[in-house]
Amino acid sequence: FIFNEEGYHEIWMMNMSLPIDIMWIDKDLKIIDIAESAQPCKFNCPIYRPDSKASYVLEVNSGFAKENKLQIGDYISIS
């Protein structure tokens, strides 16, 4: 997801079919927060929110962050 403004962009997993990792990325392309293995839900879903403002949110398969040793503070590249 690409947002026009930095913010505390919240994500929830309502009606998703499988767990995912969620990464919030700032304007400098630094990972500022990670929610690993966010679980799908049908109702009363938890809301995942970063601790800092983000410009991007990247959703990937559950386990991707751990398998690729991604951590808060790492930088990504977009190509």
Side-chain angles (χ1 to χ4, degrees), residues 27-41:
K27 62 181 170 45
D28 298 320
L29 302 181
K30 181 173 74 173
I31 299 172
I32 56 159
D33 212 340
I34 302 174
E36 292 187 49
S37 296
Q39 298 296 310
C41 65

Side-chain angles (χ1 to χ4, degrees), residues 27-79:
K27 62 181 170 45
D28 298 320
L29 302 181
K30 181 173 74 173
I31 299 172
I32 56 159
D33 212 340
I34 302 174
E36 292 187 49
S37 296
Q39 298 296 310
C41 65
K42 295 291 181 193
F43 54 89
N44 294 328
C45 298
I47 296 173
Y48 300 92
R49 183 177 194 259
D51 290 332
S52 302
K53 291 183 178 181
S55 293
Y56 309 94
V57 173
L58 179 63
E59 295 180 346
V60 294
N61 291 336
S62 180
F64 182 89
K66 184 174 276 186
E67 288 170 17
N68 291 280
K69 299 180 178 148
L70 297 173
Q71 302 176 46
I72 294 170
D74 288 347
Y75 286 85
I76 66 160
S77 63
I78 299 174
S79 52

